[in-house]
Amino acid sequence: MKIDRILLREIRMQLKEPFEISSGVVHDRRVILLTVFSEGLTGWSECVAGEDPSYSYETCETAWFLLTKLMLPQMIGKDLASTEEGVSDTDWIRGHPMAKAALEMALMDLEAKTQKQSLGSMVGGTKQEVEVGVSVGLQPNDLELATKVGAFIEKGYSRIKLKIKPGRDIHMVAKIRELYPDTRIMVDANSAYSLHDMEVLKELDKLGLMMIEQPLAHDDYLDHARLQQEIETPICLDESIRSVNDVKLAAELGSCKIINIKPGRVGGIASSKAIHEYCLKKGMPVWCGGMLESGVGRAHNVAVASLPGFVLPADISESQRYWAEDIVAPEFTIKDGHVQVPTDAGIGVTVLEDLVAKLTVRSAEF
Ligand code: OSB
Ligand code: MG
């Protein structure tokens, strides 16, 4: 893979409706889109960093800086035997797994296209379709939430994730539980609680939830372990997991029983596979989370979620749930609670160049 040219763009995609979680609200998604050109082929990826450092310390600005100043210029002219060889040049950079994931995932798409293979099969995926749930943001009131949840169940999503925060938790979740007794329900706190909230957390524990995602601080493996000892409901870690080393720490301490793998958060596909493999050995279930990706990031997530150890429904909703028009064709759709894993080479979907050009607010070329 000779790297001829690289294009980095930031596009603005308007969400159909704002997405609110305990740490903030997103109206429009600033998507950093990476295109790597090699001998007539193009590899695509997106960076999942957000606008502000509330979910992670990484932001669109930090990722843009790392990619344009430290990571991309060096790639030009290289003739890479593999993605691994390309990303090894960035090993010296401490942290910043979201920026690193963008480079790795674009090279992975390129590598799969070079081999005329789908990304899913190249990474070792075994599924033709992936079971999916839906992540429902905080709503203005319980009635609106109940209506939304009902519509998603009607659509076929196989589990519902409710965003919670202090004051919008026990009663709200209990109501949904009562309305939809047969639906698999989980909650995601995005770090909004501490061990001082033990009473609330123990009440949530009585609601028959599949799991509680990231109740405590992003760096508090010890308190998560203390909490897991007090409750039956499995804890799932999201923000706390940026590498396989974080997973080892959490598993050894007993901080959680389930891992949410977001390829764009853990440094890319190789890291996702390492976590998947470790968790398979430990008997710890994993599933694929989401970061409100465009069709490009979604395609990568679907490929990774086709690995056999991804045994719980993914946060991969259909394109139409987020966008009036996605930037890929075909768009992702759901049928009987599943999303198909693309079979064409690489990410297996075509990027709509004209639409991307229209949405672009800045670009850098190498
Ligand atoms: O915590 O999983 C999260 C979106 C943005 C930031 C953090 C999270 C989320 C989601 C959305 O829950 C999942 C999706 O992409 O649909
Ligand atoms: Mg989460």
Side-chain angles (χ1 to χ4, degrees), residues 65-75 78 85-96 100 103:
F65 167 76
L66 263 93
L67 286 160
T68 58
K69 298 285 189 256
L70 306 176
M71 296 168 71
L72 301 180
Q74 285 86 324
M75 288 292 142
K78 289 230 162 103
E85 187 189 330
V87 299
S88 65
D89 277 7
T90 63
D91 283 350
W92 66 274
I93 299 171
R94 175 149 330 160
H96 297 277
K100 287 175 179 166
L103 175 61

Side-chain angles (χ1 to χ4, degrees), residues 161 260-263 287-291 293 301 310 314-316:
K161 169 164 130 181
N260 168 334
I261 298 179
K262 294 179 181 173
W287 57 282
C288 183
M291 290 292 287
E293 285 91 346
N301 289 352
F310 283 74
D315 268 351
I316 299 175

Side-chain angles (χ1 to χ4, degrees), residues 215-230:
L216 311 178
H218 70 101
D219 56 355
D220 204 339
Y221 304 87
L222 206 49
D223 278 358
H224 274 108
R226 290 181 177 130
L227 176 59
Q228 186 65 90
Q229 292 212 313
E230 298 288 323

Side-chain angles (χ1 to χ4, degrees), residues 174-186:
K175 240 182 226 174
I176 301 294
R177 174 80 290 167
E178 201 179 301
L179 278 170
Y180 306 104
D182 303 324
T183 300
R184 288 187 286 178
I185 297 173
M186 58 174 286

Side-chain angles (χ1 to χ4, degrees), residues 41-279:
L41 297 173
T42 49
W44 290 88
S45 72
E46 77 181 81
C47 178
V48 302
E51 179 143 17
D52 62 46
S54 55
Y55 171 86
S56 156
Y57 63 84
E58 292 190 83
T59 65
C60 299
E61 292 299 330
T62 68
W64 188 269
F65 167 76
L66 263 93
L67 286 160
T68 58
K69 298 285 189 256
L70 306 176
M71 296 168 71
L72 301 180
Q74 285 86 324
M75 288 292 142
I76 298 298
K78 289 230 162 103
D79 194 3
L80 305 173
S82 65
T83 296
E84 206 182 338
E85 187 189 330
V87 299
S88 65
D89 277 7
T90 63
D91 283 350
W92 66 274
I93 299 171
R94 175 149 330 160
H96 297 277
M98 291 178 175
K100 287 175 179 166
L103 175 61
E104 196 244 25
M105 293 162 86
L107 292 175
M108 281 281 188
D109 179 27
L110 193 57
E111 189 175 339
K113 283 169 177 161
T114 306
Q115 296 179 7
K116 299 188 171 63
Q117 266 199 78
S118 73
L119 187 61
S121 65
M122 191 178 79
V123 303
T126 53
K127 299 181 224 164
Q128 276 149 24
E129 53 179 25
V130 168
E131 190 181 17
V132 296
V134 61
S135 171
V136 190
L138 288 160
Q139 301 298 318
N141 57 60
D142 292 354
L143 185 62
E144 276 188 52
L145 178 64
T147 308
K148 285 241 155 70
V149 168
F152 283 130
I153 293 171
E154 200 64 28
K155 263 260 167 214
Y157 286 103
S158 72
R159 69 101 176 97
I160 301 290
K161 169 164 130 181
L162 303 174
K163 292 290 184 177
I164 56 167
K165 69 175 183 182
R168 307 269 307 136
D169 43 38
I170 311 168
H171 296 292
M172 180 186 89
V173 179
K175 240 182 226 174
I176 301 294
R177 174 80 290 167
E178 201 179 301
L179 278 170
Y180 306 104
D182 303 324
T183 300
R184 288 187 286 178
I185 297 173
M186 58 174 286
V187 295
D188 185 356
N190 291 105
S191 292
Y193 297 87
S194 76
L195 287 187
H196 297 298
D197 302 305
M198 192 59 90
E199 262 173 59
V200 172
L201 296 163
K202 285 197 165 169
E203 284 300 313
L204 284 172
D205 194 29
K206 295 177 188 161
L207 297 175
L209 302 171
M210 256 183 117
M211 68 190 96
I212 300 179
E213 185 175 335
Q214 198 71 41
L216 311 178
H218 70 101
D219 56 355
D220 204 339
Y221 304 87
L222 206 49
D223 278 358
H224 274 108
R226 290 181 177 130
L227 176 59
Q228 186 65 90
Q229 292 212 313
E230 298 288 323
I231 60 175
E232 292 288 323
T233 312
I235 292 176
C236 169
L237 290 179
D238 172 357
E239 283 89 329
S240 295
I241 306 300
R242 295 142 310 166
S243 66
V244 70
N245 287 338
D246 289 337
V247 176
K248 289 176 184 170
L249 179 64
E252 289 292 322
L253 282 173
S255 314
C256 66
K257 293 180 178 165
I258 298 173
I259 299 287
N260 168 334
I261 298 179
K262 294 179 181 173
R265 185 198 67 228
V266 300
I269 291 174
S271 169
S272 301
K273 284 181 69 176
I275 294 171
H276 166 262
E277 200 174 314
Y278 177 84
C279 288

